Amino acid sequence: VAIIMDGNGRWAEQHGVARAKGHERGGKTVQRVIDLCGEKGIGWLTLYAFSTENWGRSKIEVTYLMNMLSKYLRERLPEMMEKNVRLHAIGELHMLPKSCREQLEKSIAATRENTGVNVVLALSYGSRQEITAAARQLARKVQKGEITPDDITPELLGAHLYTADMPDPDLLIRTSGEMRISNYLLWQISYAELWVTDVLWPDFGREELEAALLSYRGRQRRFGKR
């Protein structure tokens, strides 16, 4: 399952509180959804936590989000260990502030041997940037004579993406009712089922996740073959 977590700002506006409160409430939803996925035996959960475009937000908001991420990772690590959660991250991670990046690396290392739900945080992530980076890697290999252009297959390109060792999502969920992909996992969701809800991310819970899973189970996945 992959999720575009949208609506923290609108939730705050609707409730007459600062945007920071919306992000804080959204952080609690993250833990709730991780727990639900573990309960339901979902092996992989990928969360769109911060896009490359999000760097264009106000410096105050970006700083708050980075500090919140560091705090979340630090405070939730014991719980991730207790619940057997394994943490991963994809994106241009070098762009994260040093303190945030170090805490992320610490959490990933600490959970490496865990065997429960795999949680992938997409941070400083943009799918076009990811595909472009993979194309550059392949171009360099062609330039060095390591491969020929004819050697480049979808499988080879996929092996150079951030998600090379991860399964493609079967189901993409988007909250807040927006009908767009927002530069998220464009390659990986080629045949994923889509489910959109008007519920804002801070209010997303068991009822919405179960509705998404029920909808998914009722669909016929043909992968273009019939």
Side-chain angles (χ1 to χ4, degrees), residues 104-152:
L104 178 64
E105 291 170 353
K106 179 181 177 180
S107 297
I108 290 173
T111 63
R112 185 162 287 130
E113 301 303 319
N114 290 350
T115 57
V117 59
N118 290 273
V119 176
V120 185
L121 298 180
L123 294 164
S124 188
Y125 176 85
S127 190
R128 286 185 172 182
Q129 291 84 343
E130 175 187 25
I131 295 169
T132 299
R136 285 183 182 137
Q137 290 181 56
L138 292 172
R140 291 189 188 102
K141 289 186 177 182
V142 170
Q143 192 174 44
K144 292 177 181 178
E146 297 175 6
I147 61 173
T148 70
D150 289 338
D151 291 329
I152 300 174

Side-chain angles (χ1 to χ4, degrees), residues 80-218:
M80 284 191 279
M81 297 302 295
E82 178 186 346
K83 295 181 178 179
N84 201 26
V85 172
R86 183 177 180 185
L87 186 68
H88 309 258
I90 58 174
E92 298 179 6
L93 304 180
H94 64 278
M95 294 183 66
L96 300 175
K98 182 180 178 182
S99 59
C100 184
R101 191 170 63 250
E102 289 177 347
Q103 184 59 55
L104 178 64
E105 291 170 353
K106 179 181 177 180
S107 297
I108 290 173
T111 63
R112 185 162 287 130
E113 301 303 319
N114 290 350
T115 57
V117 59
N118 290 273
V119 176
V120 185
L121 298 180
L123 294 164
S124 188
Y125 176 85
S127 190
R128 286 185 172 182
Q129 291 84 343
E130 175 187 25
I131 295 169
T132 299
R136 285 183 182 137
Q137 290 181 56
L138 292 172
R140 291 189 188 102
K141 289 186 177 182
V142 170
Q143 192 174 44
K144 292 177 181 178
E146 297 175 6
I147 61 173
T148 70
D150 289 338
D151 291 329
I152 300 174
T153 62
E155 292 74 21
L156 184 61
L157 195 151
H160 287 74
L161 298 176
Y162 299 140
T163 55
D165 299 321
M166 304 174 188
D168 289 342
D170 296 302
L171 173 65
L172 173 67
I173 296 171
R174 178 161 191 151
T175 60
S176 85
E178 300 293 344
M179 300 295 289
R180 57 179 178 269
I181 303 301
S182 297
N183 197 21
Y184 184 47
L185 300 175
L186 300 178
W187 179 278
Q188 296 87 343
I189 63 168
S190 294
Y191 282 100
E193 298 295 321
L194 309 182
W195 192 84
V196 178
T197 175
D198 289 331
V199 173
L200 303 178
W201 176 246
D203 292 328
F204 188 90
R206 179 181 296 275
E207 183 179 345
E208 289 74 33
L209 181 61
E210 290 182 344
L213 295 177
L214 182 63
S215 174
Y216 170 79
R217 285 196 294 269

Side-chain angles (χ1 to χ4, degrees), residues 27 39 56 60 109 115 129 222:
E39 173 189 318
I60 292 175
T115 57
Q129 291 84 343
R222 299 185 180 89

Side-chain angles (χ1 to χ4, degrees), residues 34-93:
I34 291 173
D35 291 344
L36 287 170
C37 287
E39 173 189 318
K40 294 182 177 298
I42 293 171
W44 289 82
L45 172 66
T46 305
L47 301 170
Y48 204 5
F50 192 88
S51 73
T52 50
E53 291 77 17
N54 287 157
W55 291 114
R57 294 185 179 184
S58 73
K59 185 176 180 180
I60 292 175
E61 184 173 3
V62 169
T63 299
Y64 176 82
L65 289 170
M66 292 297 109
N67 289 338
M68 190 180 83
L69 174 62
S70 295
K71 180 182 178 183
Y72 176 88
L73 292 170
R74 184 174 61 253
E75 293 182 350
R76 293 293 182 178
L77 182 54
E79 187 174 355
M80 284 191 279
M81 297 302 295
E82 178 186 346
K83 295 181 178 179
N84 201 26
V85 172
R86 183 177 180 185
L87 186 68
H88 309 258
I90 58 174
E92 298 179 6
L93 304 180

